[in-house]
Amino acid sequence: MQAKFVISAEKLSQCPASNLPEIPLLGRSNVGKSSFINGIANQKKLAKTSNTPGKTRLINYFNFSDKFMIADLPGYGYAKISAQTQNQWQKNLEEYLLNREQIKCLVQFIDSRHEIQKNDYQMREWVIAHNLPIITVVTKVDKISSHNKVIQAVSYVKREFGGEVFPFSAETSRYNDPILKFFSEL
């Protein structure tokens, strides 16, 4: 699958004109959204990654072989920005998530090494309250010591959130096919 960066947008009115199914990525800062894009695209530097939380400040669009678009959203939680800027992000993202007709499914990311955080639950409650379709990707499974611990981490997230839950590792492509199949069928 060929993937390419399309455009960055601050708000809904700047989003690209497209009829492709759109898949926004939700998650805390540094949960691995950009690494996920690079992993499923099989490219190391398509989406910019950083060890500093809050680097993604716009909606970044990626086209996957004209089959679907991924929208990488700013992470929620810790970021060194003002409360005013955070409030503006929230307003822009809510408008985007509630009004973008191309959105077919949201993807929420949870770090496999940690318990689900309060802001993860809050995001999930907001999504459910607005009746938006969502799946979960459990990231950084390569950082867990054993296959059994991966199964436990995925089971824990499935118990808490329900629905489709996919494990993912940026280090190996072994988890990519089920995710790409799901996206292609949207």
Side-chain angles (χ1 to χ4, degrees), residues 55-66:
K55 285 294 184 186
T56 301
R57 300 195 171 207
L58 301 169
I59 303 169
N60 296 309
Y61 279 92
F62 300 89
N63 181 322
F64 280 74
S65 295
D66 289 327

Side-chain angles (χ1 to χ4, degrees), residues 63-79:
N63 181 322
F64 280 74
S65 295
D66 289 327
K67 293 189 184 301
F68 58 86
M69 294 265 266
I70 286 184
D72 186 13
L73 306 183
Y76 51 82
Y78 177 82

Side-chain angles (χ1 to χ4, degrees), residues 53-54 57 75 77-87 89:
R57 300 195 171 207
Y78 177 82
K80 287 186 177 180
I81 58 170
S82 69
Q84 182 181 354
T85 301
Q86 241 174 12
N87 289 339
W89 278 4

